[in-house]
Structure formats: C-alpha cells, structure tokens
Amino acid sequence: SSAMAALACDRALLTTRGALTEGLWAESKAAALSAAGSAPEFGAAVRRLMGVPVERARLAAAGCELYRQRFDGVHTIAALRQASGER
C-alpha cells in the first residue's frame, strides 16, 4: 500500500484515523494522524508538517524503524515458513 511504501522509503506519513484504525499508529508515533472525514483538519496537518522539517524527519525515521520491525518482507517470509513447518 502507499502507507507501507512511505514507511519503507523513509518518508513521513500523514494518514487518517477512524474507528477501525489500529492503536499501533498512535502508540508508535510513526505517523501523523488526522480525523477521518475532516478535510480541514487534514489540510491543517499537511500545512503544519510542511512547516516543520524536524517533525517530518522524526516521523520518517520512526516510520522506517516501525516498517523494519513489523512489516518488512522478512517477517512475512518467516511467518509463511513457520506456517508451512519449514525452519
């Protein structure tokens, strides 16, 4: 997905949060979150991030680290091997 691509490519991620958003995103502080369905809030978040390069860099670093720890393909391969009984 575009979110995973942003994380893997060391880019800051701004996305929406809603009722089904996993707590991981807020807990990890690896993404800036804006309320789903609120274009004004999302626009304000974009403007805020555009004006604060240090925050964009922090988000990018945190996101890249989260990707490596949780979403990198090596984790998928390991899970598939485990499920198939391969070591």
Side-chain angles (χ1 to χ4, degrees):
S1 78
S2 57
M4 291 298 116
L7 297 177
C9 292
D10 199 24
R11 297 291 182 253
L13 175 64
L14 168 62
T15 190
T16 57
R17 74 175 174 281
L20 299 177
T21 302
E22 293 179 56
L24 164 74
W25 298 107
E27 294 162 11
S28 70
K29 296 183 176 34
L33 301 172
S34 175
S38 177
E41 184 179 325
F42 193 84
V46 169
R47 288 188 295 279
R48 186 176 58 253
L49 285 174
M50 292 301 295
V52 187
V54 171
E55 178 61 6
R56 287 196 317 271
R58 187 203 65 74
L59 282 170
C64 195
E65 183 61 26
L66 178 67
Y67 181 84
R68 287 188 190 119
Q69 290 179 3
R70 299 283 303 266
F71 302 112
D72 190 276
V74 298
H75 303 296
T76 302
I77 292 167
L80 291 170
R81 285 183 172 158
Q82 183 179 5
S84 71
E86 184 182 327
R87 292 187 186 253

